[in-house]
Structures are given as C-alpha cells and as structure tokens.
Amino acid sequence: MTTMKVFSRVAHTTVAMIASAALLVGLGACSATRSGSAGGSSSGAMEKGATIGISMPTKSMERWNKDGKNLRTKLEKAGYKVILSYADDKPSQQNADIENMVNNNAKIIVVAAKDGTSVGPAVEKAHEAGAKVIAYDRLIMNTEAVDYYATFQLEQVGVLQAKYIIDKLGLEKGAKGPFNMEVFTGSPDDNNAKFFFKGAWELLQPYFKSGVLKSISNHGGGVDGNFTLDKWQSISVMSWKTAQTQTDMESILDSSYAHGEKLDAVLTPNDDLAQGVINAIQTKRPDMKPGTDSWPVITGQDANEIAVANISQDLQSMTVFKDVAKLADAVYEMVVQLAEGKDVSGLNGSMNNGVVDVKSKLLDPLTLEKSNLTEVVKANFITQERFDELTKQQ
C-alpha cells in the first residue's frame, strides 16, 4: 500500500514536470514566432547592419544588371550588408545561391526567379530559417514561402504593346488589311511571360478572328483567331535569347515571306527578342527599309540601350519602359520596413501564385517611342551623354 502511494506521488510529480516543460516550450515557440526569428526585438526589428540577400536570374540581360546594382547600392548606403548573386540562367544555381544566403544568416532574401516554380524549395528553406522572402518582378510559384511581391502591372505591358500595333495599323479606325503579323512570347519558364501575352492577346485576338490580322507562317503550330492563352509556350523563346529569336524568325521568313510578301507587324515581348527579329529581317529581307512602309511594326520591353538606339533609327517601333529604379525603390522600402519591424506600406494589389495570394506592389509601365524617347534620360535610366551616343545617326 505504501509502495503504491509512493509510486503514485512520483508519477504525479513526473506528469506535472512534463506538463510544465511542455508549457515552457510552447511559450518559447510562441515568443519566437511573435518576435520573428528573422529579427531581434519583440517588434520584429532586425539588428543594425543585418544581411540582405539578392538573387538575380542572370547577367546576360542588361536589365537584371541594373536591377541588382540599383538595389544593392541603396541597401548598402543604408548600412545593410548585401549578398548579391546571379544564377547564370540556371535554377539549380539560384537554389544554391539562396541556400548560401541562408547559411550566411540573411534576414531578408529578395528573389528575381529564373524559374518561378523551381526556386520554391530554396525559399521554403529560407522561410524555415526565419528569413522573409520578397519576390522581385517575377512571382515565385506554388509555395506559401513568399511574403511580398513587387513588380510592374504585368498584363498592362502586353496591353501597351498591342495598343501600339492596333494604332499604327489603323485597326480601330476601320482598316481591314488583311495585315500579316507574327507573334512571339517570352521564356516558358518565366511566369511573367504569360501575363505579358495575355494582356496583348485579349486585344489582338478579335482582329485575328475577323481576319483583319493573320499569321501566314506556321510558327508554333500556327497562330489564328482560335489560338488560346494556354498555348502561349508554343511560340515562346527560352531564356529570352536574341539568337534563338533570330533563328526562329529567319525560319519564318524563309518559309512564308521569301517571295516579297509584306510583313506588317511582329509582337515581340521584350527588346532582346525584338533585336533577334531585326537581325533576321536585315539578313533575309534587305528589301525591307526602316522608316518606310516596308518595315514592320516591332514591339519591345525594358528600354535596353540597344532598343533606344534601334528606336532612334526606326528599326524598333516602341518599347515598354519599366523604370527599374522605381522597382528597386519599392523593394528597398519593403526591406527597410521589415527590418525596422514595421508593417509594409504602399501595397496596392495581390497576385495568386497557385497556393496563396501574395501581397503586392504593382507599378505602372510606360510606352516609349521615338517622340518621347528622352524619358529614359529624365528618369536617370540612361545618362544624357550615353543617350546622345546611342541616338547619334549612323
């Protein structure tokens, strides 16, 4: 009987100790969550000079070099330690870069994804380590491990390109054509490329259905009024490569425009693809002359230096200017607010990544053509001296 009482007291004491320990662990976990394991104080603020990671997809495109430089410069001036990496167009390299940032105690990681889906496991590890994740320009897909997103109004980019073509061909004024037009989309592993095309195709498709616009090539299996958004990858260019676009366009010209057929417009979603189209036309159809009706309307995006030069020489018709300095400003403000334990302000939308609606800051793009090309100088995107060099007539 005595033995049983002793055992009962021991058991009761043991249970009480276990319960107390569990409660302490639970309280500790709640405390870590509330204070934010990526921060320091109970407000979630981070220590002075915290490490910020910036993961860019490639150095091979002019704009990503500007994006990375702009953001790093602003953060370093504010006293943060910055790790800036470029993934050489390789998802595996970007994942390794992000893991390296986590290992170096990065508190916030900004990711412009090479492949919005492939980078998911790396940002999930970052989240597990307590870091905040900001998707930069390209949304990270199919994961909850994205805190914020900053980009431009993606569909609006395509809308501006399509409106330009519609205006230059006089379609809204009743021009019946038919007009020959070829269509390209961006890299199939870039989630933004679909949105660019969606914005453009919603405006252009009715003209293809009516026969006012037509593609006489069989590019991507053929583009006509029945072409649907879910087929966009069939006319895409991997990694936005100029050389591949030139090869594809030369094939189109050889197969469908080799006997003097008129090419009226080409929808190219960025300046790299536009350059490929220009190269192909100059190679295969030297009878087409820039600045005359024989030269097609060619669209673009990013206001790359080569596009500024091309527009000034009537080789490229327009580009959609996304002032990446403003994007860097927006993300810089996000980072500082997070680092100081404040709520992120200025959010004006959300984008669904297949799992969650990611709170977003969406900026407005601008159409640039020959008449307003100096906007790149006004925005300090290109210096006046460099602009003069680029636009000097050959």
Side-chain angles (χ1 to χ4, degrees):
M1 187 71 173
T2 301
T3 303
M4 288 295 292
K5 286 180 179 179
V6 171
F7 176 78
S8 177
R9 288 188 187 121
V10 171
H12 179 76
T13 301
T14 302
V15 169
M17 290 173 65
I18 292 171
S20 296
L23 179 60
L24 287 171
V25 170
L27 288 172
C30 290
S31 176
T33 301
R34 288 171 185 161
S35 67
S37 54
S41 71
S42 60
S43 68
M46 300 172 187
E47 70 275 11
K48 193 68 176 176
T51 298
I52 311 298
I54 304 172
S55 175
M56 292 284 155
T58 181
K59 278 190 171 182
S60 66
M61 289 175 63
E62 180 182 318
R63 67 144 308 181
W64 296 119
N65 293 286
K66 288 187 174 182
D67 283 272
K69 180 182 178 182
N70 287 339
L71 190 52
R72 179 177 62 185
T73 298
K74 293 182 71 67
L75 289 170
E76 287 181 340
K77 282 184 178 179
Y80 296 96
K81 180 181 177 182
V82 177
I83 301 173
L84 172 61
S85 297
Y86 289 87
D88 193 29
D89 274 324
K90 299 173 184 174
S92 59
Q93 181 61 52
Q94 187 160 48
N95 284 0
D97 290 342
I98 293 170
E99 290 182 22
N100 178 62
M101 293 170 188
V102 173
N103 293 336
N104 281 278
N105 202 30
K107 304 300 185 183
I108 300 171
I109 298 178
V110 179
V111 182
K114 161 58 184 171
D115 184 323
T117 299
S118 297
V119 79
V123 297
E124 285 166 4
K125 288 181 181 178
H127 241 216
E128 289 168 6
K132 295 290 186 180
V133 175
I134 299 173
Y136 187 102
D137 199 51
R138 296 175 174 178
L139 187 56
I140 300 169
M141 304 301 293
N142 303 323
T143 178
E144 294 182 358
V146 189
D147 297 286
Y148 298 99
Y149 180 36
T151 190
F152 290 83
Q153 299 278 5
L154 301 178
E155 289 186 27
Q156 186 64 16
V157 172
V159 167
L160 293 177
Q161 293 168 342
K163 281 185 173 179
Y164 192 89
I165 291 171
I166 289 168
D167 177 62
K168 291 304 176 182
L169 296 183
L171 305 189
E172 282 191 339
K173 294 180 180 179
K176 298 299 182 183
F179 299 99
N180 294 333
M181 179 175 170
E182 299 302 325
V183 183
F184 289 86
T185 60
S187 187
D189 58 1
D190 182 347
N191 184 60
N192 287 4
K194 178 180 179 180
F195 290 102
F196 299 148
F197 180 62
K198 182 174 186 290
W201 191 238
E202 286 179 352
L203 294 181
L204 295 172
Q205 186 177 26
Y207 294 105
F208 275 88
K209 279 186 175 291
S210 67
V212 173
L213 291 177
K214 62 179 182 177
S215 172
I216 62 174
S217 76
N218 195 41
H219 176 53
V223 175
D224 57 23
N226 296 317
F227 191 86
T228 53
L229 178 63
D230 61 350
K231 298 177 183 176
W232 72 273
Q233 292 182 335
S234 68
I235 52 174
S236 64
V237 179
M238 177 59 76
S239 298
W240 303 87
K241 294 296 187 182
T242 298
Q244 184 59 57
T245 311
Q246 179 173 346
T247 298
D248 292 346
M249 190 65 200
E250 286 182 357
S251 177
I252 289 170
L253 292 172
D254 282 341
S255 64
S256 305
Y257 296 87
H259 301 99
E261 292 85 353
K262 192 172 190 308
L263 174 62
D264 297 287
V266 186
L267 176 70
T268 46
N270 86 340
D271 297 338
D272 298 271
L273 272 66
Q275 185 61 52
V277 168
I278 292 166
N279 293 345
I281 294 173
Q282 291 178 322
T283 300
K284 296 293 182 177
R285 287 290 303 271
D287 59 303
M288 294 185 184
K289 302 298 182 182
T292 72
D293 289 341
S294 67
W295 192 263
V297 177
I298 300 174
T299 62
Q301 174 187 183
D302 293 330
N304 287 345
E305 288 192 354
I306 188 63
V308 170
N310 285 338
I311 290 171
S312 72
Q313 297 168 29
D314 298 314
L315 291 165
Q316 185 172 325
S317 309
M318 61 84 77
T319 186
V320 178
F321 178 38
K322 302 188 303 184
D323 190 345
V324 295
K326 290 183 178 179
L327 185 58
D329 287 345
V331 173
Y332 168 77
E333 290 170 5
M334 283 184 178
V335 170
V336 171
Q337 288 170 343
L338 287 171
E340 294 178 351
K342 298 176 181 177
D343 292 333
V344 174
S345 61
L347 301 173
N348 61 346
S350 65
M351 295 286 287
N352 188 277
N353 74 347
V355 175
V356 293
D357 291 323
V358 183
K359 297 175 183 177
S360 305
K361 173 69 173 177
L362 305 174
L363 306 178
D364 293 321
L366 172 72
T367 296
L368 284 188
E369 55 183 335
K370 199 170 185 178
S371 63
N372 69 337
L373 203 51
T374 54
E375 289 295 324
V376 293
V377 178
K378 294 176 184 177
N380 294 317
F381 188 75
I382 296 176
T383 66
Q384 183 66 61
E385 181 181 10
R386 182 60 178 153
F387 180 85
D388 292 341
E389 292 174 357
L390 292 168
T391 58
K392 182 178 179 180
Q393 295 301 314
Q394 303 299 317

